[in-house]
Amino acid sequence: MTDAGEAAPSPPVDRGSTTAIRFRFALGLTVLVAFVVRLLHVLSYDPWPTSDMAVFVDMATRRLTLPTLFSPQGVCLYPPGYALFLKAFLLVLEPFAAFAAVRIAQALLGAVTCWLVYRAGRRLHSRRAGLAGALITCFFQHFVFYSSVYMSENLFIPCFLAAFLAFLRAMQRGGARRLYVARVLAGAA
């Protein structure tokens, strides 16, 4: 109480931490919803490899083997990064289970893409812009659809966003190591 009988003003509340917690919660919820939406689509749709999908599946199953590695049969028409991603699952699991696991992993990569879009938006503009971008990415129909098909976009988009963020960090903080990491991520994309 003050001399005039009024209550003393309360100390200012640090709303920055409360706001940060709200944004973290909203981002975590967005990433979780993105994973669930993609997982529901993956479990409800069984793709038939045609066109580019057939090429990537063929590269992973027939061309990326030791006997064909240095022969004309081993020539890959597309960059082999995504085919190597598929091959890792095919080496560990039976083909049916491997392709199911690939689609689930791609759903997870789609959720990671939402988080990376948030990071890019936050770095370039604000938390709100990052969250808006993550929400748009969460429900963007092409990204949801790609999670269930065997296309290189599933690996390319998160790698490209990670490379973009690494380049921004290297520009801001400098250092040859940071620039090297950004270049390796860009090459993986």
Side-chain angles (χ1 to χ4, degrees):
M1 297 285 244
T2 60
D3 294 340
E6 299 175 52
S10 59
V13 178
D14 181 20
R15 297 211 184 266
S17 63
T18 305
T19 304
I21 290 170
R22 287 181 185 160
F23 272 105
R24 284 188 198 121
F25 178 76
L27 176 64
L29 187 62
T30 301
V31 171
L32 179 65
V33 167
F35 179 66
V36 169
V37 164
R38 283 157 177 76
L39 194 59
L40 288 173
H41 178 68
V42 161
L43 296 176
S44 69
Y45 179 76
D46 192 21
W48 182 259
T50 59
S51 186
D52 289 354
M53 288 193 300
V55 173
F56 285 117
V57 170
D58 178 61
M59 286 170 57
T61 55
R62 289 189 320 117
R63 296 180 188 201
L64 293 176
T65 60
L66 286 177
T68 64
L69 191 59
F70 298 107
S71 70
Q73 293 84 11
V75 174
C76 296
L77 302 174
Y78 294 104
Y82 183 71
L84 290 170
F85 172 75
L86 291 176
K87 188 68 172 184
F89 287 91
L90 288 167
L91 289 174
V92 176
L93 302 168
E94 294 296 320
F96 182 77
F99 286 118
V102 164
R103 292 195 314 269
I104 292 169
Q106 289 177 167
L108 184 63
L109 283 172
V112 168
T113 299
C114 291
W115 178 71
L116 291 169
V117 166
Y118 167 79
R119 296 268 321 260
R122 187 187 73 187
R123 183 172 290 265
L124 295 174
H125 193 272
S126 66
R127 285 183 188 162
R128 288 182 185 198
L131 192 56
L135 281 168
I136 291 169
T137 304
C138 176
F139 296 107
F140 185 57
Q141 66 240 19
H142 293 293
F143 288 173
V144 172
F145 173 73
Y146 280 141
S147 63
S148 66
V149 296
Y150 310 116
M151 300 287 285
S152 62
E153 284 82 353
N154 291 301
L155 192 60
F156 169 78
I157 293 169
C159 284
F160 179 79
L161 285 169
F164 176 68
L165 288 168
F167 276 119
L168 288 176
R169 187 177 194 145
M171 284 176 37
Q172 181 184 20
R173 297 186 181 173
R177 186 178 145 274
R178 286 187 181 95
L179 193 56
Y180 179 75
V181 168
R183 289 175 181 166
V184 167
L185 286 170

